[in-house]
Amino acid sequence: MCQKNKTIIVFLGPSGSGKSKLGDELRNYNIPKLVSDTSRKIRINDSEKDGVNYHFKSKEEILSSEMVEFTEYDGEIYGLSFREVQEKLNDFDTVYAITEINGVKSLRKKFENKLNIKVIFLKISPKTSRERMQLRGDSEETINRRLRNAEINNEYDNYKYADYIIDNDGSFEESKKKLLEIVLNKSIL
């Protein structure tokens, strides 16, 4: 797969940073999401849909697939399959993905000199992260575990791996404006 004119925009940030919400904005500009596989259950409060938010699969199904990257987070497997990347890039020049730091490293390593990989870090505080997880209906146990994992894995400091940083601690409209400025006006594509 050598398609230097193809771009993967990668959203990176801790839980609650707005990766999904900002990513959804790109769909309005014909930039589809690379749908990751996950072994976690569908969040009913978020109206998640299989094949749209994630491909909800068993751990065994994910681990037996050819994966670009995968990680275990909060007891569940998350990963991006080669098949998903190839199928989407056959139809689109630019796609976006949501991943964590090991996913960023893996994407850059596996597609170095083959694709443009542009990482956007969504910066938020732990306080905002907690508030957003509460709003989406995560249990207190899940929130505490995710915040602890974020601290242990330095998820609030992964901006050094990013090409762009968006401070998403405040207004969504301001963050959306900054995202569109980066993607549409700065010609990262």
Side-chain angles (χ1 to χ4, degrees):
M1 177 191 296
C2 188
Q3 303 173 343
K4 197 64 175 151
N5 61 333
K6 304 281 185 167
T7 300
I8 300 176
I9 298 168
V10 183
F11 287 102
L12 176 65
S15 292
S17 62
K19 299 178 294 286
S20 295
K21 193 169 180 182
L22 280 170
D24 286 344
E25 290 299 318
L26 295 181
R27 293 179 188 186
N28 297 326
Y29 296 89
N30 204 31
I31 300 173
K33 178 183 180 182
L34 290 174
V35 180
S36 295
D37 296 346
T38 185
S39 62
R40 79 160 171 76
K41 302 292 180 221
I42 294 175
R43 286 188 192 130
I44 296 169
N45 292 354
D46 285 352
S47 302
E48 289 183 323
K49 292 184 174 89
D50 187 33
V52 175
N53 304 95
Y54 286 100
H55 295 290
F56 294 93
K57 299 180 176 182
S58 70
K59 288 182 180 182
E60 294 76 25
E61 286 177 294
I62 295 171
L63 296 175
S64 67
S65 300
E66 188 179 4
M67 304 299 286
V68 173
E69 59 89 18
F70 72 92
T71 190
E72 187 169 341
Y73 185 83
D74 202 21
E76 301 294 348
I77 301 288
Y78 294 82
L80 183 61
S81 71
F82 272 104
R83 180 179 179 182
E84 178 72 11
V85 173
Q86 290 173 329
E87 287 178 359
K88 288 276 174 52
L89 288 178
N90 282 340
D91 296 332
F92 299 92
D93 289 336
T94 303
V95 297
Y96 77 92
I98 297 171
T99 189
E100 46 73 65
I101 192 58
N102 291 323
V104 167
K105 291 175 182 177
S106 183
L107 282 163
R108 284 187 168 152
K109 182 178 179 182
K110 290 186 178 173
F111 295 121
E112 185 178 30
N113 300 318
K114 296 175 185 160
L115 299 171
N116 294 314
I117 307 293
K118 297 295 180 182
V119 179
I120 300 174
F121 179 74
L122 302 179
K123 179 182 171 192
I124 62 167
S125 68
K127 179 179 181 277
T128 301
S129 186
R130 172 178 288 285
E131 290 168 355
R132 290 184 182 164
M133 285 188 279
Q134 288 170 331
L135 281 173
R136 71 184 187 197
D138 289 2
S139 71
E140 208 49 41
E141 177 187 340
T142 297
I143 293 169
N144 290 332
R145 192 170 53 247
R146 285 179 172 249
L147 289 172
R148 192 170 42 255
N149 284 341
E151 287 297 324
I152 291 168
N153 295 313
N154 297 314
E155 290 180 29
Y156 296 98
D157 297 323
N158 283 335
Y159 57 85
K160 60 188 167 226
Y161 297 99
D163 299 293
Y164 303 95
I165 299 170
I166 296 176
D167 185 343
N168 199 22
D169 223 15
S171 156
F172 175 74
E173 288 305 315
E174 283 300 313
S175 297
K176 177 178 145 182
K177 180 180 172 185
K178 177 77 173 174
L179 172 66
L180 296 179
E181 180 182 299
I182 290 168
V183 174
L184 302 178
N185 298 336
K186 290 193 177 178
S187 299
I188 69 169
L189 311 178

